[in-house]
Amino acid sequence: MHRPAQRDQHEHARSERRQGLRGPRLRRLLVCAAAVPAVLVAAGCSSDSGSDSGSGSGSGSNGDAKRTSASSPRAERSASADTVRPAVYKTLPEPCSTLSGKTLGDLVPKGAKSGKEGTSDDTGLRASCSWTSLENNGVKGSQFRWLNVSLLRFESDATRGSGEKLAQEYYSKQAQDVQAVDGAKNVKARPVDGLGDEATAVRYDQKKKEGAFKQQTVVARTENVVVTVDYNGAGFAGDKTPDADDLAKAAEKATKEAVAAVATANKAGGTSDTAPSKSASSSPSKGASKDAAKEESPSASKSAKD
């Protein structure tokens, strides 16, 4: 009985020892196992953070450099300079020589040689000429005619666009401004084919102290040049008012010659590289037709008095 009891005691002791060893070991394993996810998470966060930081700093600095380089004024100017189309026409014709003697004889019979060139700070960029005619018919009265040709050329600009684009913008504005002249009645506008790249003819009636005027304005664009022809007529002292259709045909004829004169002047070898000036870099503050209208009244009044 003694030996079996001793064996039981020994077995019990060994069992307790095994359990005693298993407990701390198990606890250590559980603690390590619990620590592993934390380490992995920490390592993952550290890896992501490092990756973001590294890629962010690398690509960010390169991206910032690229953006800075691309958005720098010098880069924009260089890119624009490479893409802006050079202006086709480099000069303008002599304004008072844009129309033939025959055309002037038909439109301003008593003033074909009275061409008056407008003032300009650079005739290679803007120019104009006007003619006045008063045909006295004795007791029947007199016929008044006034003609003006305006030429405006646009140079290509790296920051604002090509000369053609700038001319298109001015052409559209000019065609609209003509239709908004003070005192204009019965305004009608229509596109005209065969006059440069695009053209608009505007007609309206205008009552003045000298008489009833029939106004015709044709605005045409040929490449980077805008041509504006103003032509009006009135019957004074009881003479009849001129026919608007006849005036319109005459104005279109004059515009066609002026457009052709621009092409001829450049084919003849005008100045090859006219430097842009302030007048070419921006649209005129006032349309050519508005400026012409200002000249028109004094001319009409003076001629009527004569």
Side-chain angles (χ1 to χ4, degrees):
M1 295 295 293
H2 180 70
R3 289 181 178 178
Q6 286 180 342
R7 283 198 301 271
D8 291 341
Q9 289 177 354
H10 288 309
E11 290 292 334
H12 182 71
R14 283 196 298 269
S15 175
E16 287 182 345
R17 284 197 298 272
R18 285 196 298 270
Q19 290 179 355
L21 291 172
R22 187 183 303 167
R25 183 180 299 172
L26 180 60
R27 283 195 296 271
R28 286 196 298 273
L29 291 173
L30 290 175
V31 168
C32 292
V36 168
V39 171
L40 292 177
V41 170
C45 293
S46 174
S47 175
D48 289 345
S49 174
S51 175
D52 288 346
S53 174
S55 63
S57 61
S59 64
S61 61
N62 292 338
D64 290 343
K66 291 178 180 178
R67 285 193 294 272
T68 302
S69 175
S71 61
S72 65
R74 180 177 298 177
E76 290 179 357
R77 285 196 298 269
S78 298
S80 299
D82 292 338
T83 57
V84 172
R85 178 190 177 194
V88 174
Y89 292 137
K90 303 296 184 180
T91 190
L92 294 175
E94 291 292 332
C96 294
S97 300
T98 53
L99 305 182
S100 66
K102 183 179 185 305
T103 297
L104 291 173
D106 293 338
L107 273 62
V108 282
K110 296 298 181 180
K113 297 181 180 180
S114 68
K116 180 181 179 182
E117 186 171 345
T119 58
S120 173
D121 54 355
D122 190 339
T123 55
L125 296 172
R126 63 178 68 218
S128 64
C129 189
S130 60
W131 297 261
T132 302
S133 173
L134 183 65
E135 188 174 8
N136 192 338
N137 296 319
V139 295
K140 293 182 180 180
S142 59
Q143 285 290 319
F144 173 79
R145 299 289 186 274
W146 183 79
L147 173 66
N148 185 82
V149 176
S150 295
L151 308 166
L152 186 61
R153 185 177 66 85
F154 291 87
E155 274 288 353
S156 294
D157 186 279
T159 58
R160 298 179 63 237
S162 67
E164 182 179 4
K165 172 181 172 290
L166 298 176
Q168 286 176 329
E169 293 174 353
Y170 179 74
Y171 162 81
S172 298
K173 182 179 182 299
Q174 180 78 331
Q176 291 297 320
D177 288 346
V178 171
Q179 301 175 53
V181 173
D182 292 340
K185 304 293 183 182
N186 304 318
V187 180
K188 295 179 181 179
R190 61 181 179 83
V192 183
D193 295 329
L195 297 180
D197 296 300
E198 53 188 337
T200 299
V202 180
R203 66 166 66 181
Y204 56 83
D205 300 332
Q206 198 169 30
K207 183 71 175 179
K208 298 184 178 182
K209 62 180 181 179
E210 297 88 1
F213 284 78
K214 295 288 185 180
Q215 173 71 35
Q216 307 291 330
T217 299
V218 182
V219 184
R221 180 186 67 81
T222 173
E223 298 291 355
N224 57 306
V225 174
V226 177
V227 177
T228 303
V229 172
D230 289 289
Y231 185 49
N232 66 42
F236 293 157
D239 206 344
K240 65 180 181 179
T241 301
D243 183 75
D245 290 335
D246 292 340
L247 295 179
K249 291 178 183 178
E252 290 176 22
K253 179 182 179 181
T255 304
K256 187 174 184 178
E257 286 191 14
V259 168
V262 173
T264 300
N266 284 272
K267 286 179 181 178
T271 54
S272 57
D273 290 309
T274 305
S277 68
K278 293 182 179 179
S279 57
S281 300
S282 60
S283 297
S285 58
K286 298 179 181 179
S289 294
K290 291 184 177 180
D291 293 338
K294 289 183 178 180
E295 297 177 8
E296 169 192 325
S297 294
S299 299
S301 300
K302 183 177 180 181
S303 300
K305 291 179 181 178
D306 294 342

